[in-house]
Amino acid sequence: MDKRGGKGRQKIEIKLIESKEARIIAFSKIKNGLGKKAKEYSNLTGADIGFILFTQAGKPHSYGSPSIEKVIDKFHELKQNDSLRNHTDMSKTNVFEAFEDLHKEVQAFKEK
């Protein structure tokens, strides 16, 4: 076996990147990596996937497979079906409400 003197991949502390420029670069790289993994997951499993990210300045970025609009519409359908069944699971209702609020904010931002 080949023994190398390096330490291999190092763990880094997860904390806010202080340099604004470095933070912007990291956001872009992580966003692209997340999109790549989401696409991979969708292709392998056939799952519908969507995510929305906001920069520190408030600019939204989204990814959806097949599209973010279709994923959101499917989510709304599930929400309506869930409310018709009158579930009492409050945590699920709160998630749906939070997502609906987020969806409205994204729509308002897109209209600007």
Side-chain angles (χ1 to χ4, degrees):
M1 270 196 175
D2 182 24
K3 294 197 176 197
R4 297 185 179 166
K7 294 182 181 180
R9 192 171 198 169
Q10 299 294 307
K11 289 187 178 182
I12 60 167
E13 184 181 354
I14 302 298
K15 64 178 183 174
L16 181 65
I17 299 169
E18 293 186 22
S19 164
K20 185 176 181 180
E21 186 176 309
R23 201 168 37 242
I24 291 168
I25 292 168
F27 178 87
S28 179
K29 287 181 178 182
I30 292 168
K31 176 187 68 140
N32 291 336
L34 184 59
K36 185 177 178 181
K37 287 294 181 184
K39 183 177 180 180
E40 231 174 70
Y41 185 80
S42 179
N43 288 339
L44 290 172
T45 64
D48 293 341
I49 298 174
F51 65 82
I52 302 169
L53 302 172
F54 290 90
T55 64
Q56 200 170 22
K59 182 178 177 187
H61 296 268
S62 64
Y63 171 83
S65 176
S67 73
I68 193 68
E69 290 80 11
K70 288 184 180 181
V71 172
I72 290 171
D73 289 344
K74 188 172 185 177
F75 187 86
H76 280 282
E77 276 182 40
L78 290 173
K79 180 182 175 188
Q80 287 175 341
N81 291 341
D82 189 55
S83 65
L84 292 175
R85 289 189 209 119
N86 291 325
H87 283 283
T88 57
D89 183 0
M90 290 305 292
S91 63
K92 192 171 187 180
T93 302
N94 291 337
V95 169
F96 284 128
E97 289 171 0
F99 186 82
E100 179 136 68
D101 292 343
L102 182 61
H103 176 43
K104 287 176 185 175
E105 288 177 27
V106 170
Q107 291 298 341
F109 189 86
K110 283 183 178 180
E111 293 172 5
K112 289 182 180 178

